Amino acid sequence: MSLIKVKDLSLGYDSKVVAKDLNFEVNMGDYLCIVGENGSGKSTLMKTLLGLRKPLGGSIEFGDGLKSTDIGYLPQQSIVQKDFPASVYEIVISGLCKGFSKSLFYSKRDKETVLSTLERLGISSLKHRCYRELSGGQQQRVLLARALCATEKIILLDEPVAGLDPVATKEMYDTIQDLNKDGVTVIMISHDIAAAVKYATNILHMGDDNVFSTKEEYLNSELGRNFSES
């Protein structure tokens, strides 16, 4: 079932186009990796899918009752964010803020969701720890838990292993793959083409030539071969 369908999409800011003629579809259970050179518009695409930027042209259609506010998002972290003085529990439960209606308080069900998500990602023991005292890998798991609290359907990940050591990188990729196997649709920006072709079901290559294809088609294409060898 189609969750997102993008047609002839143009992206940018202040009327400056950074990407155009984007056409792709994300179905339930897909693992889409977005690759391309710096400045090709990958992060801008993420923000546009989330409704944080308006398209300059074309359309984005959501299916299966999905709205942009129903998408879990793990952005790239800034230095300031890494030093945020809050507990793990406080950060993860903040992922449920979009679910508030008239109530200003978290419900019992909200709290149960947080605890089960922490357990799911193997970080229950960290719930009372201060976020800024954690390792980079632990911080990324906390932010992934926060994204999962916002949705069970689809998560957007912007360079989720940036700055992590090799062990933490593998653990993060394995966790994301496990979530995908459990039915969570994944859209991930990555400069790590080896990981992209290892885990993804589909590839969106952004650049002078935008190419959307299955992983196998991408690997067999001239563009895919050139990019993976660079």
PDB file of all heavy atoms in Angstrom, residues 178-191:
ATOM      1  N   ASP A 178      15.880  -4.083  12.052  1.00  0.00           N
ATOM      2  CA  ASP A 178      14.912  -4.850  12.840  1.00  0.00           C
ATOM      3  C   ASP A 178      13.551  -4.152  12.866  1.00  0.00           C
ATOM      4  O   ASP A 178      12.495  -4.803  12.770  1.00  0.00           O
ATOM      5  CB  ASP A 178      15.419  -5.039  14.269  1.00  0.00           C
ATOM      6  CG  ASP A 178      16.573  -6.033  14.364  1.00  0.00           C
ATOM      7  OD1 ASP A 178      16.757  -6.819  13.412  1.00  0.00           O
ATOM      8  OD2 ASP A 178      17.284  -6.007  15.378  1.00  0.00           O
ATOM      9  N   LEU A 179      13.561  -2.839  13.004  1.00  0.00           N
ATOM     10  CA  LEU A 179      12.307  -2.078  12.992  1.00  0.00           C
ATOM     11  C   LEU A 179      11.598  -2.237  11.648  1.00  0.00           C
ATOM     12  O   LEU A 179      10.379  -2.411  11.590  1.00  0.00           O
ATOM     13  CB  LEU A 179      12.573  -0.595  13.267  1.00  0.00           C
ATOM     14  CG  LEU A 179      13.056  -0.247  14.677  1.00  0.00           C
ATOM     15  CD1 LEU A 179      13.443   1.233  14.744  1.00  0.00           C
ATOM     16  CD2 LEU A 179      11.978  -0.549  15.716  1.00  0.00           C
ATOM     17  N   ASN A 180      12.375  -2.198  10.576  1.00  0.00           N
ATOM     18  CA  ASN A 180      11.801  -2.364   9.250  1.00  0.00           C
ATOM     19  C   ASN A 180      11.196  -3.756   9.084  1.00  0.00           C
ATOM     20  O   ASN A 180      10.098  -3.915   8.528  1.00  0.00           O
ATOM     21  CB  ASN A 180      12.869  -2.099   8.187  1.00  0.00           C
ATOM     22  CG  ASN A 180      12.341  -2.223   6.775  1.00  0.00           C
ATOM     23  OD1 ASN A 180      12.769  -3.087   6.011  1.00  0.00           O
ATOM     24  ND2 ASN A 180      11.419  -1.371   6.392  1.00  0.00           N
ATOM     25  N   LYS A 181      11.884  -4.769   9.595  1.00  0.00           N
ATOM     26  CA  LYS A 181      11.356  -6.134   9.524  1.00  0.00           C
ATOM     27  C   LYS A 181      10.070  -6.275  10.332  1.00  0.00           C
ATOM     28  O   LYS A 181       9.227  -7.122  10.024  1.00  0.00           O
ATOM     29  CB  LYS A 181      12.406  -7.128  10.020  1.00  0.00           C
ATOM     30  CG  LYS A 181      13.578  -7.317   9.066  1.00  0.00           C
ATOM     31  CD  LYS A 181      14.590  -8.290   9.639  1.00  0.00           C
ATOM     32  CE  LYS A 181      15.740  -8.527   8.668  1.00  0.00           C
ATOM     33  NZ  LYS A 181      16.762  -9.447   9.237  1.00  0.00           N
ATOM     34  N   ASP A 182       9.930  -5.427  11.372  1.00  0.00           N
ATOM     35  CA  ASP A 182       8.723  -5.443  12.191  1.00  0.00           C
ATOM     36  C   ASP A 182       7.576  -4.653  11.565  1.00  0.00           C
ATOM     37  O   ASP A 182       6.498  -4.550  12.153  1.00  0.00           O
ATOM     38  CB  ASP A 182       9.012  -4.861  13.582  1.00  0.00           C
ATOM     39  CG  ASP A 182       9.815  -5.819  14.447  1.00  0.00           C
ATOM     40  OD1 ASP A 182       9.878  -7.021  14.104  1.00  0.00           O
ATOM     41  OD2 ASP A 182      10.388  -5.372  15.458  1.00  0.00           O
ATOM     42  N   GLY A 183       7.816  -4.068  10.384  1.00  0.00           N
ATOM     43  CA  GLY A 183       6.744  -3.389   9.669  1.00  0.00           C
ATOM     44  C   GLY A 183       6.828  -1.883   9.623  1.00  0.00           C
ATOM     45  O   GLY A 183       5.946  -1.235   9.046  1.00  0.00           O
ATOM     46  N   VAL A 184       7.885  -1.297  10.214  1.00  0.00           N
ATOM     47  CA  VAL A 184       8.045   0.157  10.172  1.00  0.00           C
ATOM     48  C   VAL A 184       8.686   0.545   8.838  1.00  0.00           C
ATOM     49  O   VAL A 184       9.744   0.024   8.484  1.00  0.00           O
ATOM     50  CB  VAL A 184       8.917   0.668  11.339  1.00  0.00           C
ATOM     51  CG1 VAL A 184       9.098   2.176  11.239  1.00  0.00           C
ATOM     52  CG2 VAL A 184       8.293   0.294  12.675  1.00  0.00           C
ATOM     53  N   THR A 185       8.058   1.436   8.106  1.00  0.00           N
ATOM     54  CA  THR A 185       8.614   1.934   6.851  1.00  0.00           C
ATOM     55  C   THR A 185       9.731   2.923   7.160  1.00  0.00           C
ATOM     56  O   THR A 185       9.580   3.792   8.012  1.00  0.00           O
ATOM     57  CB  THR A 185       7.522   2.601   6.006  1.00  0.00           C
ATOM     58  OG1 THR A 185       6.465   1.653   5.768  1.00  0.00           O
ATOM     59  CG2 THR A 185       8.067   3.089   4.676  1.00  0.00           C
ATOM     60  N   VAL A 186      10.848   2.798   6.450  1.00  0.00           N
ATOM     61  CA  VAL A 186      12.029   3.614   6.734  1.00  0.00           C
ATOM     62  C   VAL A 186      12.415   4.429   5.497  1.00  0.00           C
ATOM     63  O   VAL A 186      12.501   3.892   4.390  1.00  0.00           O
ATOM     64  CB  VAL A 186      13.223   2.730   7.152  1.00  0.00           C
ATOM     65  CG1 VAL A 186      14.492   3.574   7.324  1.00  0.00           C
ATOM     66  CG2 VAL A 186      12.913   1.962   8.433  1.00  0.00           C
ATOM     67  N   ILE A 187      12.652   5.729   5.713  1.00  0.00           N
ATOM     68  CA  ILE A 187      13.272   6.584   4.699  1.00  0.00           C
ATOM     69  C   ILE A 187      14.527   7.157   5.340  1.00  0.00           C
ATOM     70  O   ILE A 187      14.439   7.837   6.362  1.00  0.00           O
ATOM     71  CB  ILE A 187      12.350   7.717   4.241  1.00  0.00           C
ATOM     72  CG1 ILE A 187      11.049   7.159   3.654  1.00  0.00           C
ATOM     73  CG2 ILE A 187      13.060   8.602   3.207  1.00  0.00           C
ATOM     74  CD1 ILE A 187      10.054   8.233   3.236  1.00  0.00           C
ATOM     75  N   MET A 188      15.679   6.890   4.757  1.00  0.00           N
ATOM     76  CA  MET A 188      16.937   7.284   5.383  1.00  0.00           C
ATOM     77  C   MET A 188      17.865   7.989   4.400  1.00  0.00           C
ATOM     78  O   MET A 188      18.128   7.481   3.310  1.00  0.00           O
ATOM     79  CB  MET A 188      17.655   6.057   5.948  1.00  0.00           C
ATOM     80  CG  MET A 188      18.972   6.368   6.632  1.00  0.00           C
ATOM     81  SD  MET A 188      19.755   4.893   7.375  1.00  0.00           S
ATOM     82  CE  MET A 188      20.313   4.028   5.903  1.00  0.00           C
ATOM     83  N   ILE A 189      18.349   9.165   4.793  1.00  0.00           N
ATOM     84  CA  ILE A 189      19.416   9.829   4.052  1.00  0.00           C
ATOM     85  C   ILE A 189      20.741   9.216   4.497  1.00  0.00           C
ATOM     86  O   ILE A 189      20.987   9.049   5.695  1.00  0.00           O
ATOM     87  CB  ILE A 189      19.436  11.341   4.334  1.00  0.00           C
ATOM     88  CG1 ILE A 189      18.199  12.020   3.722  1.00  0.00           C
ATOM     89  CG2 ILE A 189      20.702  11.984   3.768  1.00  0.00           C
ATOM     90  CD1 ILE A 189      18.099  13.493   4.042  1.00  0.00           C
ATOM     91  N   SER A 190      21.601   8.914   3.544  1.00  0.00           N
ATOM     92  CA  SER A 190      22.882   8.315   3.907  1.00  0.00           C
ATOM     93  C   SER A 190      23.961   8.688   2.910  1.00  0.00           C
ATOM     94  O   SER A 190      23.726   8.714   1.700  1.00  0.00           O
ATOM     95  CB  SER A 190      22.753   6.786   3.977  1.00  0.00           C
ATOM     96  OG  SER A 190      23.993   6.211   4.331  1.00  0.00           O
ATOM     97  N   HIS A 191      25.170   8.999   3.440  1.00  0.00           N
ATOM     98  CA  HIS A 191      26.348   9.132   2.594  1.00  0.00           C
ATOM     99  C   HIS A 191      27.072   7.793   2.484  1.00  0.00           C
ATOM    100  O   HIS A 191      28.027   7.657   1.717  1.00  0.00           O
ATOM    101  CB  HIS A 191      27.300  10.187   3.176  1.00  0.00           C
ATOM    102  CG  HIS A 191      26.872  11.590   2.934  1.00  0.00           C
ATOM    103  ND1 HIS A 191      26.166  12.332   3.860  1.00  0.00           N
ATOM    104  CD2 HIS A 191      27.025  12.400   1.852  1.00  0.00           C
ATOM    105  CE1 HIS A 191      25.919  13.531   3.372  1.00  0.00           C
ATOM    106  NE2 HIS A 191      26.425  13.599   2.157  1.00  0.00           N
TER     107      HIS A 191
END
